Structures are given as C-alpha cells and as structure tokens.
Coordinates of all heavy atoms in Angstrom, one line a residue:
M932 N -8.3 13.1 -12.4 CA -8.2 11.6 -12.5 C -9.3 11.1 -13.5 O -10.4 11.5 -13.4 CB -8.4 11.0 -11.1 CG -8.2 9.5 -11.1 SD -8.6 8.8 -9.5 CE -6.9 8.7 -8.8
T933 N -8.9 10.3 -14.5 CA -9.9 9.8 -15.4 C -10.6 8.7 -14.8 O -10.2 8.1 -13.7 CB -9.2 9.2 -16.7 OG1 -8.4 8.1 -16.3 CG2 -8.2 10.3 -17.3
L934 N -11.8 8.3 -15.4 CA -12.6 7.2 -14.9 C -11.8 5.9 -14.9 O -11.9 5.2 -13.9 CB -13.9 7.1 -15.7 CG -14.9 6.0 -15.3 CD1 -15.4 6.3 -13.9 CD2 -16.0 5.9 -16.2
L935 N -11.1 5.7 -16.0 CA -10.3 4.5 -16.1 C -9.3 4.4 -14.9 O -9.1 3.3 -14.3 CB -9.6 4.5 -17.4 CG -8.9 3.1 -17.8 CD1 -10.0 2.1 -18.0 CD2 -8.1 3.3 -19.1
A936 N -8.6 5.5 -14.6 CA -7.6 5.4 -13.5 C -8.3 5.2 -12.2 O -7.8 4.5 -11.4 CB -6.9 6.8 -13.5
L937 N -9.5 5.7 -12.1 CA -10.3 5.5 -10.8 C -10.6 4.1 -10.7 O -10.5 3.5 -9.6 CB -11.5 6.4 -10.8 CG -12.4 6.4 -9.6 CD1 -11.6 7.0 -8.4 CD2 -13.7 7.2 -9.8
V938 N -11.2 3.5 -11.8 CA -11.6 2.1 -11.7 C -10.4 1.2 -11.4 O -10.5 0.3 -10.6 CB -12.2 1.6 -13.1 CG1 -12.3 0.1 -13.1 CG2 -13.6 2.3 -13.2
S939 N -9.2 1.5 -12.0 CA -8.1 0.6 -11.8 C -7.6 0.8 -10.3 O -7.1 -0.2 -9.7 CB -7.0 0.8 -12.8 OG -6.1 1.8 -12.4
A940 N -7.7 2.0 -9.8 CA -7.3 2.2 -8.4 C -8.2 1.4 -7.5 O -7.7 0.8 -6.5 CB -7.4 3.7 -8.1
I941 N -9.5 1.4 -7.8 CA -10.4 0.7 -6.9 C -10.1 -0.8 -7.0 O -10.1 -1.5 -6.0 CB -11.9 0.9 -7.3 CG1 -12.3 2.4 -7.0 CG2 -12.9 0.0 -6.7 CD1 -13.6 2.9 -7.5
N942 N -9.9 -1.3 -8.2 CA -9.6 -2.7 -8.4 C -8.3 -3.1 -7.6 O -8.3 -4.2 -7.0 CB -9.4 -3.1 -9.9 CG -10.7 -3.3 -10.6 OD1 -11.7 -3.5 -9.9 ND2 -10.7 -3.1 -11.9
Q943 N -7.4 -2.2 -7.6 CA -6.1 -2.5 -6.9 C -6.4 -2.6 -5.4 O -5.9 -3.5 -4.7 CB -5.1 -1.4 -7.2 CG -3.7 -1.8 -7.1 CD -2.8 -0.8 -7.6 OE1 -3.2 0.2 -8.1 NE2 -1.5 -1.0 -7.5
M944 N -7.2 -1.7 -4.9 CA -7.5 -1.7 -3.5 C -8.2 -3.0 -3.1 O -8.0 -3.6 -2.1 CB -8.4 -0.5 -3.1 CG -7.7 0.7 -2.6 SD -8.8 1.9 -1.9 CE -9.8 2.4 -3.3
R945 N -9.2 -3.4 -4.0 CA -9.9 -4.6 -3.7 C -9.0 -5.8 -3.7 O -9.1 -6.7 -2.9 CB -11.0 -4.8 -4.9 CG -12.0 -5.8 -4.6 CD -13.0 -5.9 -5.7 NE -13.9 -4.7 -5.8 CZ -14.4 -4.3 -6.9 NH1 -14.2 -4.9 -8.0 NH2 -15.2 -3.3 -6.9
E946 N -8.1 -5.9 -4.6 CA -7.1 -7.0 -4.7 C -6.4 -7.1 -3.4 O -6.1 -8.2 -2.9 CB -6.2 -6.8 -5.9 CG -6.5 -7.8 -7.0 CD -5.6 -7.4 -8.2 OE1 -4.4 -7.4 -8.0 OE2 -6.1 -7.3 -9.3
E947 N -5.9 -5.9 -2.9 CA -5.1 -5.9 -1.7 C -5.9 -6.5 -0.5 O -5.3 -7.1 0.4 CB -4.6 -4.5 -1.4 CG -3.3 -4.3 -2.2 CD -2.9 -2.8 -2.2 OE1 -3.4 -2.1 -1.3 OE2 -2.2 -2.4 -3.0
T948 N -7.2 -6.2 -0.5 CA -8.0 -6.6 0.7 C -8.3 -8.1 0.6 O -8.5 -8.8 1.6 CB -9.3 -5.8 0.9 OG1 -10.0 -5.8 -0.3 CG2 -8.9 -4.4 1.3
I949 N -8.4 -8.6 -0.7 CA -8.8 -10.0 -0.8 C -7.7 -11.0 -0.5 O -7.9 -12.0 0.1 CB -9.2 -10.3 -2.3 CG1 -10.7 -9.7 -2.5 CG2 -9.2 -11.7 -2.6 CD1 -11.2 -9.8 -3.9
M950 N -6.4 -10.5 -0.7 CA -5.3 -11.4 -0.6 C -5.1 -11.7 0.9 O -5.0 -10.8 1.8 CB -4.1 -10.9 -1.2 CG -4.1 -10.9 -2.7 SD -2.6 -10.6 -3.5 CE -2.4 -8.9 -3.1
D951 N -4.9 -13.0 1.2 CA -4.7 -13.5 2.6 C -3.3 -13.5 3.0 O -2.4 -13.7 2.2 CB -5.3 -14.9 2.8 CG -6.8 -14.9 2.6 OD1 -7.5 -14.2 3.3 OD2 -7.2 -15.7 1.7
R952 N -3.1 -13.2 4.3 CA -1.7 -13.4 4.8 C -1.6 -14.8 5.3 O -2.5 -15.4 5.8 CB -1.6 -12.4 6.0 CG -1.9 -10.9 5.6 CD -1.3 -9.9 6.5 NE -1.4 -10.2 7.9 CZ -0.7 -9.5 8.9 NH1 0.1 -8.6 8.5 NH2 -0.9 -9.7 10.1
Y953 N -0.3 -15.3 5.2 CA 0.0 -16.7 5.6 C 1.0 -16.7 6.7 O 2.0 -15.9 6.6 CB 0.4 -17.5 4.4 CG -0.8 -18.0 3.6 CD1 -1.5 -17.1 2.8 CD2 -1.2 -19.3 3.7 CE1 -2.6 -17.6 2.1 CE2 -2.3 -19.8 2.9 CZ -3.0 -18.9 2.1 OH -4.1 -19.4 1.4
V954 N 0.9 -17.6 7.6 CA 1.8 -17.6 8.8 C 2.7 -18.9 8.7 O 2.1 -20.0 8.5 CB 1.1 -17.6 10.1 CG1 2.1 -17.5 11.3 CG2 0.1 -16.5 10.2
C955 N 4.0 -18.8 8.9 CA 4.8 -19.9 8.9 C 4.6 -20.6 10.3 O 4.7 -20.0 11.3 CB 6.3 -19.5 8.8 SG 7.5 -20.9 9.0
Q956 N 4.2 -21.9 10.2 CA 3.9 -22.7 11.4 C 5.2 -23.0 12.2 O 5.1 -23.4 13.4 CB 3.2 -23.9 11.1 CG 1.8 -23.7 10.4 CD 0.9 -22.9 11.2 OE1 0.4 -23.3 12.2 NE2 0.6 -21.7 10.7
I957 N 6.3 -22.8 11.6 CA 7.6 -23.2 12.3 C 8.1 -22.0 13.1 O 8.5 -22.1 14.3 CB 8.6 -23.7 11.3 CG1 7.9 -24.9 10.6 CG2 9.9 -24.0 12.0 CD1 8.8 -26.0 10.1
C958 N 8.2 -20.8 12.4 CA 8.9 -19.7 13.1 C 8.0 -18.5 13.3 O 8.4 -17.5 14.0 CB 10.1 -19.3 12.3 SG 9.7 -18.4 10.7
G959 N 6.8 -18.5 12.8 CA 5.9 -17.4 13.0 C 6.0 -16.3 12.0 O 5.3 -15.3 12.1
Y960 N 6.9 -16.4 11.0 CA 7.0 -15.4 10.0 C 5.6 -15.3 9.3 O 5.0 -16.3 9.0 CB 8.1 -15.8 9.0 CG 8.1 -15.0 7.7 CD1 8.7 -13.7 7.7 CD2 7.4 -15.4 6.6 CE1 8.7 -13.0 6.5 CE2 7.4 -14.7 5.4 CZ 8.1 -13.5 5.4 OH 8.1 -12.7 4.2
I961 N 5.2 -14.0 9.0 CA 4.0 -13.8 8.3 C 4.3 -13.3 6.9 O 5.0 -12.3 6.7 CB 3.1 -12.8 9.0 CG1 2.7 -13.3 10.4 CG2 1.9 -12.4 8.2 CD1 2.0 -12.3 11.2
Y962 N 3.8 -14.1 5.9 CA 3.9 -13.6 4.5 C 2.7 -12.7 4.2 O 1.5 -13.1 4.3 CB 3.9 -14.7 3.5 CG 3.9 -14.2 2.1 CD1 5.1 -13.7 1.5 CD2 2.7 -14.1 1.3 CE1 5.1 -13.1 0.3 CE2 2.7 -13.5 0.0 CZ 3.9 -13.0 -0.5 OH 3.9 -12.5 -1.7
D963 N 3.0 -11.4 4.0 CA 2.0 -10.4 3.7 C 2.1 -10.0 2.2 O 3.1 -9.5 1.8 CB 2.2 -9.1 4.5 CG 1.1 -8.1 4.4 OD1 0.3 -8.2 3.5 OD2 1.0 -7.3 5.3
P964 N 1.0 -10.4 1.4 CA 1.0 -10.2 0.0 C 1.3 -8.7 -0.4 O 1.8 -8.4 -1.4 CB -0.4 -10.6 -0.5 CG -0.8 -11.5 0.6 CD -0.2 -11.0 1.9
A965 N 0.8 -7.8 0.5 CA 1.0 -6.4 0.3 C 2.5 -6.0 0.2 O 2.9 -5.1 -0.5 CB 0.3 -5.5 1.3
N966 N 3.3 -6.7 1.0 CA 4.7 -6.5 1.0 C 5.5 -7.4 0.1 O 6.6 -7.0 -0.4 CB 5.3 -6.6 2.4 CG 4.6 -5.7 3.4 OD1 4.2 -4.6 3.0 ND2 4.5 -6.1 4.6
G967 N 5.0 -8.6 -0.2 CA 5.8 -9.5 -1.0 C 7.0 -9.9 -0.2 O 7.1 -9.9 1.0
D968 N 8.0 -10.4 -1.0 CA 9.3 -10.8 -0.4 C 10.4 -10.3 -1.3 O 11.1 -11.1 -2.0 CB 9.3 -12.3 -0.2 CG 10.6 -12.8 0.5 OD1 11.3 -12.0 1.0 OD2 10.8 -14.0 0.4
P969 N 10.6 -9.0 -1.3 CA 11.5 -8.4 -2.3 C 13.0 -9.0 -2.2 O 13.6 -9.1 -3.3 CB 11.6 -6.9 -1.9 CG 10.3 -6.7 -1.1 CD 10.0 -8.0 -0.4
D970 N 13.4 -9.4 -1.0 CA 14.7 -10.0 -0.9 C 14.9 -11.2 -1.8 O 16.0 -11.6 -2.2 CB 15.1 -10.3 0.5 CG 15.2 -9.1 1.4 OD1 15.4 -8.0 0.8 OD2 15.2 -9.2 2.6
N971 N 13.8 -11.9 -2.0 CA 13.8 -13.1 -2.8 C 13.1 -13.0 -4.1 O 12.6 -13.9 -4.8 CB 13.1 -14.3 -2.0 CG 14.0 -14.6 -0.8 OD1 15.1 -15.1 -0.9 ND2 13.5 -14.4 0.4
G972 N 13.0 -11.7 -4.6 CA 12.5 -11.5 -5.9 C 11.0 -11.5 -6.0 O 10.4 -11.6 -7.1
I973 N 10.3 -11.5 -4.9 CA 8.8 -11.5 -4.9 C 8.3 -10.1 -4.8 O 8.5 -9.5 -3.8 CB 8.2 -12.4 -3.8 CG1 8.9 -13.8 -3.7 CG2 6.7 -12.5 -3.8 CD1 8.6 -14.6 -5.0
E974 N 7.6 -9.7 -5.8 CA 7.1 -8.3 -5.9 C 6.0 -8.1 -4.9 O 5.1 -9.0 -4.7 CB 6.6 -8.0 -7.3 CG 7.6 -8.3 -8.4 CD 7.9 -7.0 -9.2 OE1 7.1 -6.0 -9.0 OE2 8.9 -7.0 -9.9
P975 N 5.9 -6.9 -4.3 CA 4.7 -6.6 -3.5 C 3.4 -6.7 -4.3 O 3.4 -6.4 -5.5 CB 4.9 -5.1 -3.2 CG 6.4 -4.9 -3.3 CD 6.8 -5.8 -4.4
G976 N 2.4 -7.3 -3.7 CA 1.1 -7.5 -4.5 C 1.0 -9.0 -5.0 O 0.1 -9.3 -5.7
T977 N 2.0 -9.8 -4.6 CA 2.0 -11.2 -5.0 C 1.2 -12.0 -4.0 O 1.6 -12.1 -2.8 CB 3.4 -11.8 -5.2 OG1 4.1 -11.0 -6.1 CG2 3.4 -13.2 -5.7
A978 N 0.1 -12.7 -4.4 CA -0.6 -13.5 -3.5 C 0.2 -14.8 -3.1 O 1.0 -15.2 -3.9 CB -2.0 -14.0 -4.1
F979 N -0.1 -15.3 -1.9 CA 0.7 -16.5 -1.5 C 0.5 -17.6 -2.5 O 1.5 -18.3 -2.8 CB 0.1 -16.9 -0.1 CG 0.9 -18.1 0.5 CD1 2.1 -17.9 1.1 CD2 0.4 -19.4 0.4 CE1 2.8 -18.9 1.6 CE2 1.1 -20.5 0.9 CZ 2.3 -20.2 1.5
E980 N -0.7 -17.8 -3.0 CA -1.0 -18.8 -4.0 C -0.1 -18.7 -5.3 O 0.1 -19.6 -6.0 CB -2.4 -18.8 -4.4 CG -3.4 -19.2 -3.3 CD -3.8 -18.1 -2.4 OE1 -3.1 -17.0 -2.5 OE2 -4.6 -18.2 -1.5
D981 N 0.3 -17.4 -5.5 CA 1.1 -17.2 -6.8 C 2.6 -17.3 -6.6 O 3.4 -17.1 -7.5 CB 0.7 -15.8 -7.3 CG -0.7 -15.7 -7.8 OD1 -1.3 -16.8 -8.2 OD2 -1.3 -14.6 -7.8
L982 N 3.0 -17.6 -5.3 CA 4.4 -17.7 -5.1 C 4.9 -19.0 -5.8 O 4.2 -19.9 -5.9 CB 4.7 -17.9 -3.6 CG 4.5 -16.7 -2.7 CD1 4.6 -17.0 -1.2 CD2 5.5 -15.6 -3.0
P983 N 6.1 -19.0 -6.3 CA 6.7 -20.2 -6.9 C 6.7 -21.3 -5.9 O 6.8 -21.1 -4.7 CB 8.1 -19.8 -7.3 CG 8.4 -18.5 -6.7 CD 7.1 -17.9 -6.3
D984 N 6.5 -22.6 -6.4 CA 6.5 -23.7 -5.5 C 7.7 -23.9 -4.7 O 7.7 -24.5 -3.7 CB 6.2 -25.0 -6.3 CG 4.7 -25.0 -6.8 OD1 3.9 -24.3 -6.2 OD2 4.4 -25.7 -7.8
D985 N 8.8 -23.4 -5.3 CA 10.1 -23.6 -4.5 C 10.4 -22.4 -3.6 O 11.5 -22.4 -3.0 CB 11.2 -23.9 -5.5 CG 11.5 -22.7 -6.5 OD1 10.7 -21.7 -6.4 OD2 12.4 -22.7 -7.3
W986 N 9.4 -21.5 -3.4 CA 9.6 -20.5 -2.5 C 9.7 -21.0 -1.1 O 8.9 -22.0 -0.7 CB 8.5 -19.4 -2.6 CG 8.6 -18.3 -1.7 CD1 9.3 -17.1 -1.9 CD2 8.0 -18.1 -0.4 NE1 9.2 -16.3 -0.8 CE2 8.4 -16.9 0.1 CE3 7.2 -18.9 0.4 CZ2 8.0 -16.4 1.4 CZ3 6.8 -18.5 1.6 CH2 7.2 -17.2 2.1
T987 N 10.5 -20.5 -0.2 CA 10.6 -21.0 1.1 C 10.6 -19.8 2.1 O 10.9 -18.6 1.7 CB 11.9 -21.8 1.4 OG1 13.0 -21.0 1.0 CG2 11.9 -23.1 0.6
C988 N 10.3 -20.1 3.3 CA 10.2 -19.1 4.4 C 11.6 -18.4 4.4 O 12.6 -19.0 4.6 CB 9.9 -19.7 5.7 SG 10.0 -18.5 7.1
P989 N 11.6 -17.0 4.3 CA 12.9 -16.3 4.3 C 13.6 -16.3 5.7 O 14.8 -16.0 5.8 CB 12.5 -14.9 4.0 CG 11.0 -14.7 4.1 CD 10.4 -16.1 4.1
V990 N 12.8 -16.7 6.7 CA 13.4 -16.8 8.1 C 14.0 -18.2 8.4 O 15.2 -18.3 8.8 CB 12.4 -16.4 9.1 CG1 13.0 -16.5 10.5 CG2 12.0 -14.9 8.9
C991 N 13.2 -19.2 8.2 CA 13.6 -20.5 8.6 C 13.8 -21.5 7.5 O 14.2 -22.6 7.7 CB 12.7 -21.1 9.7 SG 11.1 -21.6 9.0
G992 N 13.4 -21.1 6.3 CA 13.6 -22.0 5.1 C 12.5 -23.1 5.0 O 12.6 -24.0 4.2
A993 N 11.4 -23.0 5.7 CA 10.3 -23.9 5.6 C 9.6 -23.8 4.2 O 9.6 -22.7 3.6 CB 9.3 -23.7 6.7
S994 N 9.1 -24.9 3.7 CA 8.4 -24.9 2.4 C 7.0 -24.3 2.6 O 6.5 -24.1 3.7 CB 8.4 -26.3 1.8 OG 7.5 -27.1 2.6
K995 N 6.4 -24.0 1.4 CA 5.1 -23.4 1.4 C 4.1 -24.3 2.2 O 3.1 -23.8 2.7 CB 4.6 -23.2 0.0 CG 5.2 -22.0 -0.7 CD 4.7 -21.9 -2.1 CE 3.3 -21.4 -2.2 NZ 2.8 -21.3 -3.6
D996 N 4.3 -25.6 2.2 CA 3.4 -26.5 2.9 C 3.3 -26.2 4.4 O 2.3 -26.6 5.1 CB 3.9 -28.0 2.8 CG 3.9 -28.4 1.3 OD1 3.3 -27.7 0.5 OD2 4.5 -29.4 1.0
E997 N 4.3 -25.6 5.0 CA 4.3 -25.3 6.4 C 3.5 -24.0 6.7 O 3.4 -23.7 7.9 CB 5.8 -25.1 6.9 CG 6.7 -26.2 6.5 CD 6.4 -27.5 7.3 OE1 5.6 -27.5 8.2 OE2 7.0 -28.6 6.9
F998 N 3.0 -23.3 5.7 CA 2.3 -22.1 6.0 C 0.8 -22.4 6.1 O 0.3 -23.2 5.4 CB 2.6 -21.1 4.9 CG 3.9 -20.4 5.0 CD1 5.1 -21.0 4.7 CD2 3.9 -19.1 5.4 CE1 6.3 -20.4 4.9 CE2 5.1 -18.4 5.5 CZ 6.3 -19.1 5.3
E999 N 0.2 -21.6 7.0 CA -1.3 -21.7 7.1 C -1.9 -20.3 7.0 O -1.2 -19.3 7.5 CB -1.7 -22.4 8.4 CG -1.4 -23.8 8.3 CD -2.2 -24.6 9.3 OE1 -2.9 -24.0 10.2 OE2 -2.1 -25.9 9.3
K1000 N -3.0 -20.2 6.5 CA -3.7 -18.9 6.3 C -3.9 -18.3 7.7 O -4.4 -19.0 8.6 CB -5.0 -19.1 5.6 CG -5.7 -17.9 5.1 CD -7.0 -18.1 4.5 CE -7.0 -18.8 3.2 NZ -8.4 -18.8 2.5
E1001 N -3.7 -17.0 7.8 CA -3.9 -16.3 9.0 C -5.4 -16.1 9.3 O -6.1 -15.8 8.4 CB -3.2 -14.9 9.0 CG -3.2 -14.2 10.4 CD -2.6 -12.9 10.3 OE1 -2.9 -12.1 9.3 OE2 -1.7 -12.6 11.1
D1002 N -5.8 -16.3 10.5 CA -7.3 -16.2 10.9 C -7.7 -14.7 10.8 O -6.9 -13.9 11.3 CB -7.5 -16.7 12.3 CG -7.4 -18.2 12.3 OD1 -7.7 -18.9 11.2 OD2 -7.0 -18.8 13.3
Ligands
ZN2472 ZN1 9.5 -19.9 8.9

C-alpha cells in the first residue's frame, strides 16, 4: 500500500465516523450515511446535509424537515 492510498483510506474512515445518522420523527426510519439510500439514487457515503432538498423518507415520505439528528 502506498502512502497516498493509506492517507486516503484514513480520510475515508474519518469521514464515515463524522457523518451523523438522522431519525425520521414520524416513522422512526434511520438515515445512515454509510448506507445512503440506493433505492432512491443516494450513494453510500452521502451525508444527510448533502441529500437533495426534495429527498423524502423512503418509508413514510416525510420531508427532510421531519428528521432529527440521532443522539
Ligand atoms: Zn419516515
């Protein structure tokens, strides 16, 4: 493994730990950035903040406003 590859692997790990999970206040669905929402075209590794504004809860259809950061 080159140094560059090592650094990028560490950065990737750091990003994954920084990103917060968000909970739908209506149905309890948890948006986990590590998994994304592939069914709706959201790639794994997408932070909640980076979701499109028109993204909705895949379970109940609630808007992003209904989500709160998980404790
Ligand atoms: Zn929901």
Side-chain angles (χ1 to χ4, degrees):
M932 187 182 263
T933 67
L934 182 62
L935 192 62
L937 184 64
V938 167
S939 91
I941 290 172
N942 278 340
Q943 207 170 355
M944 267 192 292
R945 191 180 291 152
E946 255 174 50
E947 276 169 18
T948 52
I949 283 176
M950 288 193 292
D951 294 305
R952 306 202 311 167
Y953 279 74
V954 186
C955 175
Q956 299 300 296
I957 304 212
C958 73
Y960 167 84
I961 295 173
Y962 176 76
D963 187 344
N966 298 329
D968 181 15
D970 290 345
N971 292 295
I973 307 298
E974 306 238 347
T977 303
F979 185 80
E980 292 84 351
D981 293 334
L982 291 172
D984 287 338
D985 61 356
W986 181 85
T987 55
C988 174
V990 175
C991 72
S994 69
K995 284 177 72 180
D996 297 344
E997 308 288 351
F998 280 74
E999 289 202 353
K1000 196 187 283 191
E1001 187 181 49
D1002 292 327

